[in-house]
Amino acid sequence: MLLNIGIGIAALLCAWSVFLYLAGYGTATIGMLPARAVVRVNGNLTTAKTLRLRPGTYTLLVTSPLTDPYQSTFHVSVLAATRINPSLQRRSPDAIASSVVGGIGPTEPVALQHAQWFDGDTWVVGFTLPANAPLALHYDTTQGKWSVAYSTAAGYPSDKTKLPAEISNYITQLETTYVPG
Amino acid sequence: MYQDNRQLAIRGVIAGIFTLTAIVGFALYRQSNTYAPVHSNTTTANPVITDPEILQNWLPDTVYQYTVARISDYLVANNLYASSLSARDRIVNGSGAYDFAVTLLPQNQTLDVSVSVNNLQGIMSTAVTIDGTLQQQLIQTVTNDGTSTGSSTTYTGLDGLIEHGITTTEISELQSLLQKYAPASTSIDISPNTIQASYDQDTGTMSYTFVVTINTSQYVAVFDAISTTQARLRIRDATTSQQLYDSGTVTVPAAP
């Protein structure tokens, strides 16, 4: 009798494990991603918008050249559908400037003061301390990269006439208002 | 009596088979997670960074590579080995440096890292301090046009790839991606006998699969040259086949 019960339990466990192996997935759909977003789930890169996942808790990391890194965890249950809408924030101007120029002078991290965005957030312009030097950064949508479009520091483009008029005007405004002399 | 024992034995075998199938099925279920956390079963002084974009959000590419190299040097010097490395929280734009913490897994040990970048006339130098100790004197790393001024990695076996049709531009991109994965490497050896090339007409992708030895560790690498304008490198542990690195699709700079 006991053995029969054991066989029954073992058969149920067997059926359950086979079911889990074959169909034990949930789905997670990631919405609202910017262009060139890099998505990592538990550290694995993925390009799929809808993920078929084993039940459990996962970490999600979304980065892009235009947004601050977004990190969160989400839970997936068997046969359940989860939708994740990352609340992506515009990328910090300080981070953009830092990732392009690294530093200002000897070991001074970059902080972009009075930063203003232009042209669909593909330009950010401000001035850097301590010299109050204007800095214009441009995002090349083709290359997917930020670069220095204008800086008074040696080694960088410094021709304002090559900039779009609104960028050039804002730099002039910064220079008039904040640059000493 | 004999009949009873026989039936008992048969039932026992049936119960055993069911139990074994349940255990194997459950083990396979647990193992078959495509999105299991990235890690290697082996620990190394050059562990994969599971979230490099967190650091790259703030650090220029070459500063990032230099930082990772110094972290690797620090692990070697202190006999610390990890299966993976993860940025903890975010970078703090501190006084005179970019401050952040990295966690060594699986031991969950935290290192406090400070990166100082000196930019004089567009030429950047980097200094990395880990747990309060400067890892190396300031050295020149890169000019603002992205040209690296120092590389100490010795490559062998690239000729084998050229014989399989890879272009010099793609070779440069492959080196760049290998350098991103292992910035502290001193030698990278591609085994010519292991190179396999295949072409996918639908996507225009030429894939090169080969065994690569980075310092003393052996890996299987798959380099995809996609339509001559894009590339992707994936690296697996040669022993466990665990994926350790995926560059994602990157744009190959046009040949000069």
Side-chain angles (χ1 to χ4, degrees), chain A:
Chain A
M1 179 64 181
L2 274 176
L3 195 56
N4 285 342
I5 293 170
I7 290 173
I9 292 170
L12 284 174
L13 285 174
C14 179
W16 178 241
S17 70
V18 170
F19 167 77
L20 278 181
Y21 178 66
L22 296 176
Y25 292 95
T27 58
T29 305
I30 306 165
M32 307 273 289
L33 290 177
R36 294 184 182 269
V38 175
V39 179
R40 286 183 187 272
V41 174
N42 273 358
N44 299 281
L45 278 173
T46 180
T47 52
K49 284 281 184 73
T50 299
L51 308 167
R52 195 165 170 253
L53 300 165
R54 291 296 194 192
T57 301
Y58 294 82
T59 60
L60 172 71
L61 174 64
V62 179
T63 53
S64 89
L66 298 171
T67 58
D68 262 344
Y70 171 86
Q71 207 162 9
S72 72
T73 57
F74 63 94
H75 188 79
V76 170
S77 305
V78 183
L79 303 177
T82 307
R83 184 168 180 85
I84 310 149
N85 287 316
S87 55
L88 300 170
Q89 306 291 321
R90 193 164 55 184
R91 195 172 162 202
S92 149
D94 289 354
I96 296 170
S98 296
S99 69
V100 176
V101 300
I104 297 292
T107 63
E108 192 69 44
V110 186
L112 211 55
Q113 308 292 315
H114 291 268
Q116 191 154 320
W117 298 85
F118 296 93
D119 197 12
D121 294 348
T122 57
W123 287 84
V124 61
V125 186
F127 66 81
T128 57
L129 298 175
N132 289 7
L135 179 66
L137 301 159
H138 178 231
Y139 178 69
D140 184 332
T141 49
T142 313
Q143 298 256 329
K145 283 184 178 172
W146 287 91
S147 61
V148 176
Y150 177 84
S151 170
T152 49
Y156 292 104
S158 57
D159 187 354
K160 262 193 287 186
T161 61
K162 290 183 178 174
L163 301 173
E166 56 180 349
I167 310 294
S168 177
N169 290 343
Y170 186 62
I171 290 171
T172 305
Q173 187 186 326
L174 287 175
E175 285 171 335
T176 311
T177 313
Y178 298 105
V179 179

Side-chain angles (χ1 to χ4, degrees), chain B residues 27-49:
Chain B
L28 286 173
Y29 162 73
R30 293 293 298 271
Q31 286 290 318
S32 60
N33 189 351
T34 314
Y35 293 94
V38 172
H39 71 279
S40 166
N41 292 329
T42 52
T43 55
T44 166
N46 186 23
V48 60
I49 298 182

Side-chain angles (χ1 to χ4, degrees), chain B residues 21 64 69 94 174-175 248:
Chain B
T21 309
Y64 165 77
L174 171 62
Q175 286 179 288

Side-chain angles (χ1 to χ4, degrees), chain B residues 149-169:
Chain B
T149 58
S151 173
S152 58
T153 307
T154 307
Y155 283 87
T156 51
L158 292 172
D159 291 355
L161 288 170
I162 293 169
E163 285 170 13
H164 280 80
I166 199 168
T167 66
T168 48
T169 312

